[in-house]
């Protein structure tokens, strides 16, 4: 299996366009440069972001920069079909036939003003997935040099296992955080480590900023550890994920340079073993068995 080149912190671009800050082309170019100045070189996209518009806006911004394509990594996802008059979609659904996967990958490549995607993911599993179609499409995209690595997002262990019989699965983006710690307690991350699947955590900060009513114990412990480690709770949340030997890579959605810098600095925080378990216990509201 090829080594996946990605920064230890990934910049999520979902809110760069219509679904959030609505950055201009020049602002997006500056944001890309800001990320690179911090060593954050991987950018996470999906075809649906901004109602199918954000990828193209990012691509325009990237094209006007002087940034070398080999110095960044581009991720995109496909499979979710939103209600959309242009596409003729009357209901939100998933689509994973051979032609659609190929077309969407090629469209993302074109949108992003690139010749290839570093990582291409299936956004969410569909009850109507034909695994043979998926494997055939991905095999062809790889053979044509249009994608370097293939993975999934929000797939179960069993779904990954079945798909991996036909095509190597190298990445899974999953919900994982200090307030959503199920992947730490079941076999998920252990299996990823065993199978060389890179876990990327979306919503890596979880609900740490709205804890006072939901989990006052975790809120109090985070406050105590903020003082001990001289950092913010957001940085603790990143350090909590990075402690796991599976090498979880957080996908962060902040659009503020200062916040991104702060989260990147969290990569150097080493939580003690017992502090990690204190946080886990508080999150689960029970000690380990």
């Amino acid at each position: 299996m090829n080594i996946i080149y990605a920064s230890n912190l990934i910049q999520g671009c979902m809110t760069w366009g219509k679904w959030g800050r609505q950055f201009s082309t020049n602002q997006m170019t500056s944001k890309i440069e800001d990320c690179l100045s911090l060593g954050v070189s991987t950018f996470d996209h999906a075809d649906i972001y901004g109602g199918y518009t954000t990828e193209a806006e990012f691509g325009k911004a990237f094209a006007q920069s002087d940034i070398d394509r080999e110095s960044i990594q581009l991720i995109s996802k496909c499979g979710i079909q939103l209600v959309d008059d242009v596409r003729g979609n009357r209901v939100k659904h998933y689509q994973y036939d051979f032609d659609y996967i190929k077309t969407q990958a090629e469209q993302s490549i074109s949108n992003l003003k690139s010749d290839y995607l570093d990582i291409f993911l299936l956004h969410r599993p569909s009850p109507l997935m034909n695994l043979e179609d998926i494997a055939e499409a991905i095999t062809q995209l790889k053979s044509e040099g249009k994608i370097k690595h293939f993975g999934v997002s929000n797939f179960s262990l069993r779904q990954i296992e079945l798909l991996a019989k036909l095509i190597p699965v190298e990445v899974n983006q999953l919900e994982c955080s200090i307030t959503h710690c199920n992947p730490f307690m079941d076999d998920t991350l252990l299996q990823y480590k065993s199978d060389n699947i890179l876990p990327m955590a979306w919503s890596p900060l979880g609900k740490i900023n709205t804890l006072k009513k939901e989990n006052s114990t975790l809120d109090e412990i985070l406050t105590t550890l903020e003082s001990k480690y001289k950092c913010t709770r957001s940085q603790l949340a990143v350090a909590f994920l990075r402690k796991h030997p599976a090498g979880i890579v957080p996908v962060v959605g902040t659009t503020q340079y200062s916040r991104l810098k702060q989260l990147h600095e969290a990569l150097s925080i080493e939580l003690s073993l017992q502090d990690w378990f204190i946080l886990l216990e508080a999150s689960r509201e029970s000690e380990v068995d």
Side-chain angles (χ1 to χ4, degrees), residues 97-143:
D97 58 84
F98 174 89
D99 288 338
Y100 187 76
I101 292 171
K102 277 270 293 171
T103 298
Q104 284 304 119
E106 290 163 355
Q107 184 62 59
S108 290
I109 291 167
S110 175
N111 287 342
L112 293 166
K113 297 295 187 290
S114 179
D115 296 322
Y116 63 92
L117 294 172
D118 295 272
I119 303 172
F120 183 54
L121 308 177
L122 307 184
H123 207 154
R124 285 189 179 273
S126 169
L128 296 178
M129 286 186 299
N130 184 321
L131 301 185
E132 288 76 14
D133 275 359
I134 292 170
E136 184 181 359
I138 298 305
T139 298
Q140 188 165 328
L141 285 165
K142 280 194 165 186
S143 69

Side-chain angles (χ1 to χ4, degrees), residues 1-255:
M1 186 174 294
N2 294 330
I3 296 173
I4 297 176
Y5 292 100
S7 48
N8 290 331
L9 202 67
I10 294 172
Q11 174 66 67
C13 299
M14 184 176 72
T15 61
W16 282 29
K18 283 175 66 175
W19 287 1
R21 296 297 298 274
Q22 302 185 53
F23 288 133
S24 67
T25 301
N26 288 340
Q27 287 173 320
M28 279 200 187
T29 300
S30 294
K31 292 303 298 180
I32 297 169
E33 292 169 347
D34 285 346
C35 290
L36 290 175
S37 74
L38 295 172
V40 178
S41 59
T42 308
F43 298 86
D44 181 73
H45 291 273
D47 56 356
I48 63 170
Y49 291 166
Y52 304 102
T53 63
T54 301
E55 280 188 335
E57 292 168 350
F58 180 98
K60 184 178 179 181
F62 174 65
Q64 80 167 14
S65 74
D66 294 323
I67 298 167
D68 179 48
R69 174 63 181 90
E70 296 301 309
S71 68
I72 69 169
Q73 302 82 47
L74 297 174
I75 301 171
S76 192
K77 302 179 282 291
C78 87
I80 298 177
Q81 285 270 34
L82 300 177
V83 175
D84 183 81
D85 290 339
V86 175
R87 292 187 169 217
N89 293 337
R90 296 175 290 106
V91 62
K92 182 180 179 182
H93 61 283
Y94 308 119
Q95 186 168 353
Y96 288 121
D97 58 84
F98 174 89
D99 288 338
Y100 187 76
I101 292 171
K102 277 270 293 171
T103 298
Q104 284 304 119
E106 290 163 355
Q107 184 62 59
S108 290
I109 291 167
S110 175
N111 287 342
L112 293 166
K113 297 295 187 290
S114 179
D115 296 322
Y116 63 92
L117 294 172
D118 295 272
I119 303 172
F120 183 54
L121 308 177
L122 307 184
H123 207 154
R124 285 189 179 273
S126 169
L128 296 178
M129 286 186 299
N130 184 321
L131 301 185
E132 288 76 14
D133 275 359
I134 292 170
E136 184 181 359
I138 298 305
T139 298
Q140 188 165 328
L141 285 165
K142 280 194 165 186
S143 69
E144 294 171 352
K146 292 176 180 176
I147 64 172
K148 289 188 174 182
H149 302 283
F150 167 68
V152 295
S153 179
N154 304 296
F155 275 48
S156 69
L157 283 176
R158 181 58 174 159
Q159 289 164 338
I160 292 173
E161 178 188 2
L162 293 171
L163 182 56
K165 290 180 179 181
L166 301 175
I167 188 79
V169 177
E170 301 167 272
V171 176
N172 189 24
Q173 277 194 15
L174 74 165
E175 183 179 8
C176 186
S177 69
I178 205 168
T179 59
H180 186 84
C181 56
N182 292 352
F184 291 101
M185 301 307 297
D186 57 26
D187 295 334
T188 299
L189 293 171
L190 184 65
Q191 191 67 53
Y192 293 171
K193 176 70 173 172
S194 175
D195 294 342
N196 293 314
I197 294 173
L198 177 65
M200 297 178 179
W202 59 264
S203 192
L205 306 186
K207 299 179 180 178
I208 58 169
N209 294 314
T210 58
L211 283 174
K212 288 190 176 179
K213 291 184 178 179
E214 295 182 23
N215 188 333
S216 59
T217 300
L218 179 56
D219 182 66
E220 291 169 5
I221 289 171
L222 282 167
T223 298
T224 299
L225 293 180
E226 283 179 282
S227 177
K228 176 179 179 178
Y229 287 91
K230 295 180 173 55
C231 67
T232 68
R233 62 181 51 200
S234 294
Q235 290 177 310
L236 287 171
V238 169
F240 181 83
L241 292 177
R242 293 294 295 171
K243 181 78 173 175
H244 197 279
I248 302 168
V249 182
V251 181
V252 298
T254 183
T255 58

